[in-house]
């Protein structure tokens, strides 16, 4: 009788899973966790790849646009240069209304052209005196001593440059202060500017 009761309890426990040891079910659980982690890793990789693809597409799109309008933009730079030279002419204080209207027309034309350049990401590069020389954006035409500008920095912009989508279409032509120029040079800034100018000179 007792044996029959024990067998019945054992069968009931077996059906309910009460007689199984804690480690028996860890295999399937570990497999599920591993599979979950694998899918999570795949999802993260897919998101990263999508972001990289998006960035590459944007860069390719910008490159295509820049290539498509680069020649046209370079041709228009001559028009901008001509307008700037015309506006720089000394009229000797002329009060002739016709001359005043002409100057005003030139100014409006130049302003409209600059706005069109900016709308198409063609940025004007015209460094001010004292700015650091950047070999990627500036072309040193000469160097001269300066009492106000530190050596290796820009003294004057002879002709503005332009950059399209961050790429130089035409480098700005500049005059660079000779070594030892400036009343109170900043050693670190002067060294950086001089090094950039020296590197550009070596390449030239």
């Amino acid at each position: 009788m007792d044996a029959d009761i024990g067998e019945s309890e054992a069968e009931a426990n077996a059906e309910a899973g009460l007689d199984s040891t804690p480690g028996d079910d860890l295999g399937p659980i570990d497999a599920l966790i591993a599979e979950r982690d694998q899918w999570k890793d795949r999802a993260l990789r897919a998101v990263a790849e999508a972001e990289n693809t998006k960035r590459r597409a944007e860069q390719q799109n910008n490159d295509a646009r820049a290539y498509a309008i680069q020649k046209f933009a370079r041709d228009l730079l001559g028009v901008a240069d001509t307008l700037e030279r015309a506006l720089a002419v000394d009229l000797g204080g002329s009060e002739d209304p016709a001359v005043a209207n002409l100057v005003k027309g030139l100014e409006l034309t130049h302003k409209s052209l600059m706005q069109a350049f900016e709308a198409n990401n063609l940025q004007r590069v015209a460094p001010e005196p004292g700015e650091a020389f950047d070999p990627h954006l500036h072309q040193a035409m000469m160097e001269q001593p300066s009492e106000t500008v530190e050596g290796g920095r820009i003294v004057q912009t002879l002709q503005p440059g332009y950059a399209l989508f961050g790429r130089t279409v035409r480098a700005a032509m500049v005059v660079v202060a000779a070594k030892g120029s400036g009343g109170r040079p900043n050693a670190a800034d002067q060294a950086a500017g001089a090094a950039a100018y020296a590197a550009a000179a070596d390449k030239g």
Side-chain angles (χ1 to χ4, degrees):
M1 183 70 175
D2 292 339
D4 293 339
I5 294 174
E7 290 178 1
S8 298
E9 289 180 352
E11 291 176 358
N13 290 338
E15 291 178 358
L18 298 178
D19 60 347
S20 59
T21 59
D24 290 343
D25 293 332
L26 290 181
I29 292 175
D30 289 342
L32 289 173
I33 293 175
E35 185 177 0
R36 180 204 63 185
D37 292 343
Q38 186 178 28
W39 281 108
K40 182 179 179 180
D41 182 66
R42 289 180 180 178
L44 293 175
R45 288 175 181 271
V47 171
E49 182 62 27
E51 288 296 326
N52 290 335
T53 301
K54 181 180 178 181
R55 283 194 292 267
R56 285 195 298 268
E58 290 176 351
Q59 183 62 48
Q60 290 173 357
N61 185 46
N62 287 341
D63 290 345
R65 288 183 61 191
Y67 179 79
I69 65 175
Q70 188 171 22
K71 184 180 184 302
F72 180 64
R74 189 178 287 112
D75 291 341
L76 284 179
L77 298 187
V79 178
D81 293 339
T82 301
L83 286 171
E84 290 179 1
R85 283 194 294 268
L87 290 171
V89 172
D90 184 4
L91 301 177
S94 175
E95 298 181 0
D96 188 336
V99 174
N101 289 334
L102 175 61
V103 172
K104 185 177 181 179
L106 290 173
E107 290 175 344
L108 291 174
T109 302
H110 181 263
K111 181 179 179 180
S112 297
L113 185 59
M114 292 298 105
Q115 289 175 341
F117 282 176
E118 188 170 345
N120 288 278
N121 290 291
L122 184 61
Q123 302 294 329
R124 190 170 186 267
V125 180
E128 296 293 329
E131 289 189 24
F133 178 82
D134 185 343
H136 301 292
L137 296 173
H138 310 145
Q139 180 181 357
M141 305 305 294
M142 65 183 75
E143 64 176 3
Q144 65 183 36
S146 174
E147 296 180 357
T148 58
V149 178
E150 301 167 10
R153 289 181 170 266
I154 293 171
V155 176
Q156 179 186 1
T157 297
L158 302 177
Q159 184 184 65
Y162 289 87
L164 182 63
F165 290 103
R167 297 187 176 187
T168 302
V169 175
R170 186 182 74 186
M173 298 181 181
V174 299
V175 178
V176 178
K179 184 178 179 180
S181 296
R184 295 180 179 179
N186 180 302
D189 289 344
Q190 183 177 359
Y197 171 60
D202 290 341
K203 290 181 180 179

